[in-house]
Every structure is written in structure tokens, then in C-alpha cells.
Amino acid sequence: MKHCFYIFLLCIGLAGTALAQGKQSADDACTPIESRAKCKEALVPFEYDAGKIVRITFRSMSQQKEYEIPLYMGEKYRLVFNREGLPQNVSIKVYDKKQGSSNRKVLYSSDDASFDEKQLIWEPESTGKIFIHFDIPATSDVEKKGCILFLLGYKG
């Protein structure tokens, strides 16, 4: 019985090590290395500035995530969103103000794009802070995981 307990602890330790090393589970659709390379190609002729992998674990209730991005005057920008690491659709919207602000306006929305379009490109027309907002729908298959990768490029 004591050996079973030690084997159990060893298995938990190995599973934790695999997770710490960034191994994906069988239900994780995220492929950040391949997605990043495709995003960088789509940035050209813009220079890479920043990027973010938004990891998503689908749950039985809807979720939201939002990220603030500063855009500086005198630069032109391009955002590339790669959705090939998603097992189901997630709505992407870019706003001019943070969540909860009055008179918040949508600057960009992925709602009109087909889910088959795995890479979306948007070039903001103005500078200042933008807020990238992800609406993650509820699902009955709570074992699904995935990610959205977005890259920001600039051109002076």
C-alpha cells in the first residue's frame, strides 16, 4: 500500500513537471510557435513591437478577458490576431475605453469574420490606448483549451 502511495505522488510530480514545461494536454488546441511565425509574416512591412498569447480554458459559464495596449502618436500600427489555436469561436473586439467606461466605442470586431478565417488583421486609424476584449462563450465541453495569439507591429 505504501508503494502505491509513492507511485501516486511520483505521477502527480511528473504531471506537474510536464505542465510547468509548457506541454499541452490532449484537449489543448494551442500551437503558439507555428501561430507566431504566421503572425510575424502578416505583420510585414510593419516592425514587430509586442505580442501576447491569450490562453483559454473553456468553462460552463462565459468569461471575458481584456488587455490594454498603448499606441503612440506618429506611428502606424497593425494588429494580427491568430485564432488557429481555438477549438471554438471567441469574439474579439477592440474598444477605445476600458470595460465599464461610459461612451465606450467598438473600434474593431471579429463578429463579421467567419470562424474559418484563422488570421485577422486590423490597422487602427488613431493612437492612444486601445482595449482588446475577448468574449469567451460557455460550453458543455469543459475539457477544451486553446489560445489566441495577437501581435502588434508599428511603422513610423
Side-chain angles (χ1 to χ4, degrees), residues 17-135:
T17 302
L19 288 173
Q21 293 175 350
K23 304 258 189 255
Q24 58 189 41
S25 69
D27 295 329
D28 190 347
C30 189
T31 56
I33 295 170
E34 295 87 354
S35 298
R36 182 176 290 271
K38 291 176 185 174
C39 280
K40 281 194 171 183
E41 287 176 20
L43 276 179
V44 174
F46 291 74
E47 296 291 321
Y48 170 80
D49 184 36
K52 173 79 177 152
I53 298 171
V54 180
R55 295 199 180 270
I56 297 169
T57 300
F58 291 89
R59 306 212 185 280
S60 59
M61 67 177 113
S62 63
Q63 307 167 70
Q64 298 179 346
K65 293 185 178 200
E66 189 166 283
Y67 299 90
E68 179 180 327
I69 309 291
L71 303 178
Y72 300 104
M73 282 180 39
E75 305 287 343
K76 292 184 186 272
Y77 290 93
R78 176 179 285 177
L79 278 127
V80 179
F81 299 95
N82 187 296
R83 307 186 294 178
E84 65 188 9
L86 287 176
Q88 72 180 59
N89 201 7
V90 168
S91 175
I92 304 167
K93 289 190 171 100
V94 180
Y95 292 95
D96 64 340
K97 296 178 184 173
K98 68 180 177 179
Q99 193 170 9
S101 298
S102 61
N103 301 324
R104 180 164 133 134
K105 294 180 186 149
V106 176
L107 303 174
Y108 171 80
S109 175
S110 69
D111 291 349
D112 293 334
S114 163
F115 183 57
D116 293 334
E117 280 183 75
K118 296 302 180 185
Q119 195 151 277
L120 306 172
I121 297 173
W122 177 63
E123 294 180 12
E125 295 177 13
S126 61
T127 56
K129 290 181 183 175
I130 60 171
F131 298 84
I132 301 174
H133 184 91
F134 300 98
D135 279 316

Side-chain angles (χ1 to χ4, degrees), residues 2-18:
K2 199 174 193 181
H3 292 293
C4 290
F5 179 72
Y6 289 124
I7 291 172
F8 175 73
L9 287 178
L10 178 64
C11 288
I12 289 175
L14 291 175
T17 302

